């Protein structure tokens, strides 16, 4: 099994509803995001997948979030937790690479590359991961 990982970052504000603590107030983070792809077969060039295609997809999705108030995005239902952000980015990467004719979605028994996890760091020591397999 092989794995590749790319990273990107973005800055955004948010607050958490239904939370009792300082995070219920508007605040911001400099988020760091990792996208992980795995697979058992390398292409004819000896690579699992082209880093630049994965990086472009990740950066495109992160750009949609950069310098925004995440609570303004309906998809987060007024609670843009790191977990929900990770799932949003995962789904966005899948959509972006499909535009390039690539399918990174998980299917049982698939041997071609799969986007299997997205990590979202709010700080250097606090991470949420969305994982599909």
């Amino acid at each position: 099994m092989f794995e590749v990982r790319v990273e990107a970052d973005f800055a955004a504000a948010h607050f958490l509803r239904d939370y009792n603590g300082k995070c219920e107030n508007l605040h911001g983070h400099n988020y760091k995001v990792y996208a992980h792809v795995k697979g058992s077969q390398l292409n004819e060039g000896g690579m699992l997948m082209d880093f630049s295609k994965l990086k472009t997809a990740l950066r495109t999705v992160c750009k949609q979030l950069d310098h925004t108030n995440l609570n303004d995005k309906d998809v987060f239902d007024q609670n843009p937790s790191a977990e929900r952000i990770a799932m949003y980015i995962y789904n966005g990467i899948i959509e972006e690479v499909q535009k390039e004719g690539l399918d990174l979605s998980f299917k049982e028994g698939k041997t071609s590359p799969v986007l299997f996890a997205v990590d979202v760091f709010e700080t250097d020591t606090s991470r949420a991961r969305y994982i599909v397999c």
Side-chain angles (χ1 to χ4, degrees):
M1 188 65 66
F2 300 93
E3 178 188 349
V4 297
R5 182 195 86 185
V6 297
E7 66 181 73
D9 54 44
F10 68 96
H14 75 144
F15 60 90
L16 299 176
R17 294 179 63 200
D18 307 315
Y19 182 85
N20 186 17
K22 65 182 182 176
C23 292
E24 66 188 328
N25 299 314
L26 182 65
H27 63 283
H29 296 284
N30 292 315
Y31 292 93
K32 181 170 283 211
V33 182
Y34 296 157
H36 304 264
V37 171
K38 71 177 181 178
S40 60
Q41 294 181 346
L42 301 179
N43 65 20
E44 55 281 347
M47 296 181 290
L48 182 61
M49 78 168 298
D50 186 336
F51 281 124
S52 65
K53 290 182 181 181
L54 182 58
K55 203 179 315 181
T56 297
L58 175 59
R59 289 180 177 167
T60 298
V61 176
C62 287
K63 187 175 180 179
Q64 298 165 4
L65 303 175
D66 193 38
H67 284 80
T68 65
N69 179 346
L70 299 174
N71 292 75
D72 292 341
K73 298 197 174 289
D74 291 337
V75 68
F76 297 128
D77 193 28
Q78 285 296 307
N79 274 317
S81 63
E83 293 86 348
R84 285 181 170 165
I85 296 166
M87 184 172 66
Y88 173 88
I89 294 171
Y90 173 89
N91 290 327
I93 293 170
I94 294 293
E95 289 177 18
E96 287 299 316
V97 298
Q98 284 176 341
K99 293 174 186 176
E100 298 292 320
L102 298 172
D103 180 12
L104 293 181
S105 58
F106 174 73
K107 294 175 186 72
E108 199 66 44
K110 184 178 178 186
T111 58
S112 58
V114 171
L115 177 64
F116 77 94
V118 170
D119 297 327
V120 172
F121 288 82
E122 286 190 343
T123 69
D124 289 341
T125 59
S126 298
R127 177 206 74 176
R129 173 177 272 190
Y130 182 73
I131 188 165
V132 295
C133 58

